[in-house]
Amino acid sequence: MESMILATKSGTPIIGQIAVVMGWIMNAIYKVLEAVGIQNLGLCIIIFSILIYLCMTPLQIKQQKFSKLSAIMQPEIQKIQKNTRVKKIRIP
């Protein structure tokens, strides 16, 4: 346990904390598999990767929706910016 915590230490505060939590999760998965009778680190890594992917999926969906919305809004934003430049030139 102690060597795992040392392996997940980082000098950066936020990354270090995330790494420690991820280490705890990985250790918990390994202990559950060990209790079932499977002592396989490769399987533990695969399950951990699937869990991380499932946690990231909602963020990916939000990012894709925002990207589509941004692509739709971009021509309108450019029109507004162009009109604003024309008005600024006429004022003086």
Side-chain angles (χ1 to χ4, degrees), residues 29-65:
I29 293 170
Y30 185 78
K31 285 184 179 185
V32 168
L33 289 175
E34 188 177 32
V36 174
I38 304 171
Q39 294 181 343
N40 189 344
L41 189 59
L43 183 60
C44 177
I45 292 171
I46 291 170
I47 292 171
F48 180 75
S49 299
I50 291 170
L51 284 175
I52 295 300
Y53 180 78
L54 290 174
C55 290
M56 296 300 287
T57 300
L59 297 175
Q60 291 173 349
I61 291 170
K62 274 188 171 184
Q63 190 273 335
Q64 289 172 354
K65 285 181 182 179

Side-chain angles (χ1 to χ4, degrees), residues 1-91:
M1 176 78 179
E2 192 65 36
S3 63
M4 182 193 70
I5 292 174
L6 290 176
T8 58
K9 289 289 182 181
S10 174
T12 309
I14 294 174
I15 294 174
Q17 294 169 357
I18 292 172
V20 169
V21 171
M22 292 175 86
W24 290 339
I25 294 169
M26 182 81 103
N27 192 31
I29 293 170
Y30 185 78
K31 285 184 179 185
V32 168
L33 289 175
E34 188 177 32
V36 174
I38 304 171
Q39 294 181 343
N40 189 344
L41 189 59
L43 183 60
C44 177
I45 292 171
I46 291 170
I47 292 171
F48 180 75
S49 299
I50 291 170
L51 284 175
I52 295 300
Y53 180 78
L54 290 174
C55 290
M56 296 300 287
T57 300
L59 297 175
Q60 291 173 349
I61 291 170
K62 274 188 171 184
Q63 190 273 335
Q64 289 172 354
K65 285 181 182 179
F66 181 75
S67 179
K68 287 179 184 178
L69 181 64
S70 178
I72 292 170
M73 289 177 46
Q74 192 62 32
E76 295 178 24
I77 291 172
Q78 288 175 351
K79 287 179 187 176
I80 292 170
Q81 288 175 343
K82 187 176 180 181
N83 289 338
T84 305
R85 282 189 222 135
V86 171
K87 288 179 183 178
K88 285 183 181 178
I89 293 171
R90 291 182 188 168
I91 290 176

